[in-house]
Amino acid sequence: MLRGIFYAEFDNTVGPKITFQAPDGYLSPQSFEQISGYVITGPKLSHEVVTLNACGKRIVCYPIRIENSKYYRNALIFNIGFVFDPETPTNNYILTLCKLASTIETLEHEVEFLSTAKTKAMLKCVFPTILSKLNSPPYECQLRIHPTNALSLKVCPEIGGVIPDVKAHQVPIQVVDIQTHVNSLWDLTLQQVIPFIDGSRYVRRIAEDAQVDVKLVIQSLRQLLYYGYIKMLDIFQFSNLYTSTPALRKLQTNAGLQAQCVHYVSNGTVRKAPDDDDAAAANGVEAGGLCCCCCCFSSFVSSCCTCRVCA
């Protein structure tokens, strides 16, 4: 979790200092004094990611030095930093930090954003918003920090492990509503493939219907699989024999699993559940039984199905 954001600079009067941070006072002046030599750095570390473990925190920063004769001492030296707990993995935040710092650098080149006190003061309002957005799903932030520039940031989840291969006969199943996450910046092939992920088309069929090479479809699906948007299942065939595993009995006692099951198979409509006896009488099932073919779920999972249809 991102704990804080700061903007530090070399002040021509007092030297290195933190000018803005969110939350206010998260890095104390005493803490910053201990690390200031690694935050306001020489030219060799300009545009390099610097990671520090100090003062009970992990600090990832991106020092920037803009050399120009219009600046006092012929250079503008500043740094944008993210602050974390000492054990927090930070790899997935590095690109976000670099983009934020580079955007501010671009604004300085174009409109003297940092050289003008009025526009630089906007960072004090921007940082709390960025901090809040990057710590809340979907971990992205889009805001306009200047009439000529918009800022778009996203922290991608850090997912370990190897992505399994996607086979041409497998069927991709959406586990989240992908369309609510798609935007114009996504890969064009991915945008073309997504509408055909309907839970029944297999990979090769998707390639044919989307008119996309099957290798590109597989590559796109592996990306969606990596970020947890889909799961891959074998194609359904009526010639196959399907049976439940003993894990089905977890539905009997696991209330959380029952809620997930109802949420996953329902359309969002909430209705009052009928009494067990009424439900059993309506479906021809003795109270207390479970029948998959009749879609009748009651108070517990029975070891034997009493459904008249099954009988």
Side-chain angles (χ1 to χ4, degrees), residues 140-186:
E140 59 187 35
C141 175
Q142 296 181 352
L143 51 86
R144 186 167 294 278
I145 58 176
H146 190 270
T148 63
N149 259 350
L151 182 65
S152 180
L153 302 173
K154 182 176 179 63
V155 178
C156 294
E158 187 173 27
I159 305 174
V162 178
I163 311 174
D165 289 334
V166 173
K167 306 296 184 182
H169 65 271
Q170 291 182 306
V171 178
I173 306 292
Q174 294 189 38
V175 295
V176 297
D177 188 357
I178 304 177
Q179 292 290 356
T180 61
H181 298 270
V182 175
N183 60 58
S184 58
L185 300 178
W186 280 35

Side-chain angles (χ1 to χ4, degrees), residues 3-47:
R3 295 296 185 182
I5 306 175
F6 68 83
Y7 168 82
E9 62 183 352
F10 184 86
D11 185 272
N12 296 320
T13 303
V14 301
K17 71 169 188 176
I18 290 183
T19 307
F20 307 113
Q21 62 175 318
D24 286 335
Y26 188 70
L27 271 180
S28 66
Q30 295 78 13
S31 297
F32 180 71
E33 186 176 355
Q34 297 180 40
I35 63 172
S36 60
Y38 301 96
V39 176
I40 303 301
T41 65
K44 290 185 178 181
L45 288 179
S46 179
H47 296 89

